[in-house]
Amino acid sequence: FNKKAVTKEMTDFEVLSQDKLVQMTKYGNALKVVANFSNKDFKYENDVIKAKSLIIYDSGKKIKYIP
């Protein structure tokens, strides 16, 4: 992800939750990450992003990351 992201321009950024702990960043047209820094799961489109995790959307593929 990081190797692709650094070669793309950041094209969008949104705060998705009122507490500002869920955020979406988009790079180019096909690379997007939604990060949930909160202690609660968050529904984004058709996915549930677990607390303290993120989903990388890369050209139609989804990669879930939970540290």
Side-chain angles (χ1 to χ4, degrees):
F1 165 79
N2 59 340
K3 289 180 183 180
K4 281 188 177 183
V6 298
T7 64
K8 306 280 185 194
E9 180 179 349
M10 187 170 79
T11 54
D12 195 10
F13 175 81
E14 290 182 41
V15 174
L16 302 176
S17 63
Q18 285 189 324
D19 61 8
K20 300 180 180 168
L21 294 175
V22 182
Q23 304 165 3
M24 182 277 299
T25 309
K26 189 171 182 182
Y27 303 91
N29 293 327
L31 186 60
K32 172 172 67 172
V33 62
V34 179
N36 181 358
F37 299 102
S38 77
N39 291 318
K40 297 179 182 177
D41 294 353
F42 184 85
K43 184 162 175 45
Y44 177 75
E45 296 179 352
N46 294 324
D47 296 310
V48 174
I49 302 170
K50 297 288 186 183
K52 306 287 184 187
S53 72
L54 58 86
I55 297 180
I56 300 166
Y57 299 88
D58 186 1
S59 302
K61 299 176 191 168
K62 295 179 198 175
I63 302 164
K64 294 182 181 183
Y65 176 75
I66 301 172

